[in-house]
Amino acid sequence: PQTQTRQHVAILPSPGMGHVIPMVEFAKRFVRNHNFTVTFLVPTSGSPSTAMRSVFNGLPDSIEHVFLPPVNFDDLPEGSKLETRIALTVVRSLASLRDALASLFSRRVGVVALVVDHFGLDAFDVAREFNLPSYLFYPSPAMVLSLILHLPELDESTSSEYWELTDPVKIPGCFPIPGKDLLDPIQDRKSDVYKLTLHKAKQYRLVDGIIVNTFNDLEPRAISSLQEREATEKLPRVYPVGPLAKIQRTNLTEEESQCLIWLDGQPRVSVLFISFGSGGTLSSDQTNELALGLENSEQRFLWVVRPPNDRAASAAYFKVNSQNESSFDFLPDGFLGRTRDRGLVVHSWAPQAQILSHSSIGGFLTHCGWNSILESMVNGVPMIVWPLFAEQRMNAFMLTEDIKVALRPKASENGVVEREEIARVIKALMEGGEDREKLRKRIEELKEAGSTALTEDGNSTKALADVADVWKSQIRN
Ligand code: UDP
């Protein structure tokens, strides 16, 4: 039977669509190019969402998945940090991971590697028990990876908080970046989450290889710097295999189909798509200003709206579902009626990858999750950046200051981006003009470069083949 001749990879994604989606895309491309089989071992903290299930359903037979038994969070204090919840979901799933791996081994499928993401590093000890090499899948840019690998040095050489630094921070191979824009978990050096990140940074050095969802023409200096450090600092080998972006999904729900039907009726390159990823939320004030800014811009739009949350910017992360949630009562009075002929609002979740590839889309207002950025890029859609949490400010900085494919609205002193500013930036992106032309030209170049990286001779295809070669040379378990 096939299982005796093929090799097998186990993949452990941490909870969150931003981790699951690119790892699934990686697996799809990997089995297509390299005749492996894959099992996803998926930690959960409740019943998996409809969106999550639909990602795993309909995969080729060579990719199986198992939802690990849900972990319990009853002991966690209210308002505990997103990173803490994600990390704990994995840590509390380690015993079931061990059982699941044992069961794979008993089937003699030829397991040669365990792939995890940043939050799954603790699973390495379990992998070691099975004598299994561990690979890190990095669903964020090489810039963030470079920072994390540099964090122990940065920690030693800096005495203040990073946001207090007056000079921009130099990350190897990257455009110098203001300390306040570095990723969230390192903004308070006394916090537990900082200590955990520093600890993880050290763990990164122990993995057998790091697979990054980026490509050479997008981050040439960051990638070559990481590759040089392989030799000079004995860092793990880095494999840039991107852009792995979700392209197609079938079996849309009724509401999801409505989005695409509505887009079919709009002029080409005329609609601004607005989405804050799988869990991003805005405050009530900010939701109000965004609605009125959209209205004032007089542009067409498709907005994935969530009920506001005044406490956290990632409030919906653990609750994502494609079901209708509630009404749009929290939007400004009369907003829906006044924008009916040029705007569509949908609850909580939309088929983003398909929307971004639709010919009516002309711009994307994004929270700057890396998957959202890559999905925009592979479709040549310029962006407005609206970073909320995690490493999103770094991504936003890269898009606006370094590769220049996006505009950024300025917040007022109270931290809220006001309607006039929102309308100004939306018009600059969506109406013709020099600014828009420059952004479009640049993003088209990156779209081309990304597509070239994935051709048969492309750099990313070669990097993927390098991973396959190393795994093929492993002894099969
Ligand atoms: N996504 C989607 N519909 C939505 C929101 C998100 O399909 O309404 C998908 C999106 O296409 C992307 C992923 O969920 O593939 C979100 O990942 P990203 O890294 O952008 O952000 P995160 O959710 O991790 O904050």
Side-chain angles (χ1 to χ4, degrees):
Q2 254 185 349
T3 46
Q4 282 173 11
T5 54
R6 294 168 95 177
Q7 280 159 310
H8 195 96
V9 178
I11 302 185
L12 178 85
S14 64
M17 299 301 272
H19 307 135
V20 169
I21 289 174
M23 288 171 110
V24 166
E25 291 307 315
F26 166 75
K28 286 203 298 210
R29 200 169 157 75
F30 196 72
V31 300
R32 200 166 54 230
N33 288 9
H34 298 291
N35 197 35
F36 276 60
T37 50
V38 168
T39 300
F40 276 90
L41 305 169
V42 192
T44 61
S45 58
S47 169
S49 66
T50 318
M52 176 78 86
R53 284 184 194 282
S54 80
V55 171
F56 285 109
N57 289 336
L59 289 177
D61 288 346
S62 47
I63 307 178
E64 298 177 3
H65 68 279
V66 177
F67 289 114
L68 300 177
V71 302
N72 191 307
F73 277 155
D74 290 351
D75 56 327
L76 276 200
E78 267 245 11
S80 53
K81 275 199 164 282
L82 176 66
E83 285 85 2
T84 312
R85 293 176 82 88
I86 299 178
L88 274 182
T89 311
V90 177
V91 169
R92 294 182 177 181
S93 297
L94 291 180
S96 5
L97 171 71
R98 184 178 292 110
D99 294 346
L101 279 177
S103 141
L104 275 183
F105 276 85
S106 69
R107 282 168 50 199
R108 304 197 150 275
V109 289
V111 190
V112 288
L114 175 71
V115 180
V116 303
D117 60 37
H118 171 81
F119 294 99
L121 287 166
D122 293 313
F124 285 180
D125 293 335
V126 179
R128 225 170 270 136
E129 292 168 24
F130 291 89
N131 209 7
L132 205 53
S134 307
Y135 284 74
L136 176 65
F137 182 89
Y138 210 67
S140 300
M143 169 182 57
V144 182
L145 177 61
S146 182
L147 168 65
I148 299 280
L149 286 164
H150 180 58
L151 193 60
E153 283 97 322
L154 194 63
D155 181 69
E156 293 220 334
S157 62
T158 313
S159 47
S160 64
E161 291 289 353
Y162 301 126
W163 55 264
E164 291 173 316
L165 296 171
T166 44
D167 288 338
V169 176
K170 294 200 181 91
I171 304 170
C174 302
F175 204 88
I177 178 169
K180 67 172 175 38
D181 285 332
L182 296 179
L183 60 162
D184 264 356
I186 68 169
Q187 289 297 347
D188 174 4
R189 295 179 65 188
K190 290 178 289 305
S191 65
D192 287 346
V193 73
Y194 180 76
K195 288 171 198 141
L196 185 69
T197 309
L198 194 58
H199 169 67
K200 291 211 175 288
K202 293 173 184 161
Q203 282 181 316
Y204 275 31
R205 293 175 174 251
L206 306 176
V207 302
D208 293 282
I210 305 180
I211 300 158
V212 195
N213 194 5
T214 188
F215 56 102
N216 273 306
D217 284 328
L218 177 57
E219 298 191 275
R221 285 165 293 123
I223 292 172
S224 60
S225 151
L226 284 166
Q227 288 170 339
E228 279 160 28
R229 288 157 74 196
E230 252 169 67
T232 54
E233 296 177 40
K234 299 234 177 332
L235 292 186
R237 181 145 175 217
V238 169
Y239 303 89
V241 299
L244 300 169
K246 195 160 61 129
I247 313 280
Q248 281 298 336
R249 218 195 83 205
T250 43
N251 57 38
L252 297 183
T253 63
E254 173 65 24
E255 194 187 21
E256 287 179 328
S257 306
Q258 287 307 320
C259 292
L260 297 166
I261 293 167
W262 183 82
L263 282 172
D264 288 343
Q266 308 303 316
R268 288 192 76 246
V269 199
S270 71
V271 177
L272 178 71
F273 177 56
I274 301 141
S275 162
F276 298 94
S278 52
T281 43
L282 303 178
S283 67
S284 313
D285 283 356
Q286 191 60 83
T287 304
N288 200 46
E289 290 302 310
L290 178 53
L292 297 173
L294 271 171
E295 185 176 343
N296 292 353
S297 78
E298 299 179 334
Q299 302 298 310
R300 293 170 203 274
F301 64 87
L302 169 47
W303 182 10
V304 187
V305 183
R306 299 211 167 95
N309 189 297
D310 288 336
R311 281 186 309 169
S314 54
Y317 206 88
F318 269 86
K319 284 190 216 145
V320 137
N321 209 311
S322 61
Q323 306 293 311
N324 262 0
E325 285 191 1
S326 55
S327 70
F328 291 117
D329 285 354
F330 51 84
L331 291 174
D333 275 351
F335 167 79
L336 292 177
R338 293 192 300 272
T339 56
R340 186 179 298 131
D341 57 344
R342 61 184 172 80
L344 179 68
V345 293
V346 296
H347 276 292
S348 292
W349 189 261
Q352 176 169 310
Q354 267 147 309
I355 288 171
L356 286 169
S357 67
H358 196 285
S359 59
S360 298
I361 293 293
F364 180 19
L365 190 157
T366 171
H367 78 312
C368 294
W370 190 239
N371 297 293
S372 293
I373 290 171
L374 291 180
E375 287 161 15
S376 205
M377 207 172 273
V378 301
N379 289 297
V381 177
M383 290 164 264
I384 292 173
V385 296
W386 196 299
L388 294 178
F389 55 92
E391 92 293 9
Q392 293 155 9
R393 282 187 311 275
M394 294 182 75
N395 301 347
F397 180 86
M398 177 203 238
L399 294 186
T400 53
E401 307 303 316
D402 189 2
I403 59 175
K404 301 193 166 55
V405 292
L407 301 176
R408 180 172 200 156
K410 284 195 183 62
S412 61
E413 271 173 17
N414 63 4
V416 173
V417 187
E418 287 171 358
R419 63 193 80 166
E420 297 78 11
E421 172 68 355
I422 295 169
R424 181 188 71 75
V425 175
I426 293 177
K427 280 186 177 166
L429 186 80
M430 300 302 291
E431 287 180 347
E434 210 182 314
D435 277 358
R436 174 180 166 81
E437 282 325 302
K438 275 197 207 144
L439 297 175
R440 284 204 75 81
K441 188 163 171 288
R442 184 73 185 110
I443 196 119
E444 278 296 331
E445 287 167 4
L446 287 169
K447 173 184 168 178
E448 284 304 311
S451 143
T452 305
L454 295 177
T455 54
E456 209 177 313
D457 298 329
N459 285 328
S460 296
T461 306
K462 285 187 188 147
L464 192 73
D466 290 342
V467 178
D469 284 345
V470 178
W471 287 350
K472 277 179 197 153
S473 68
Q474 301 289 331
I475 300 186
R476 301 191 312 126
N477 290 289

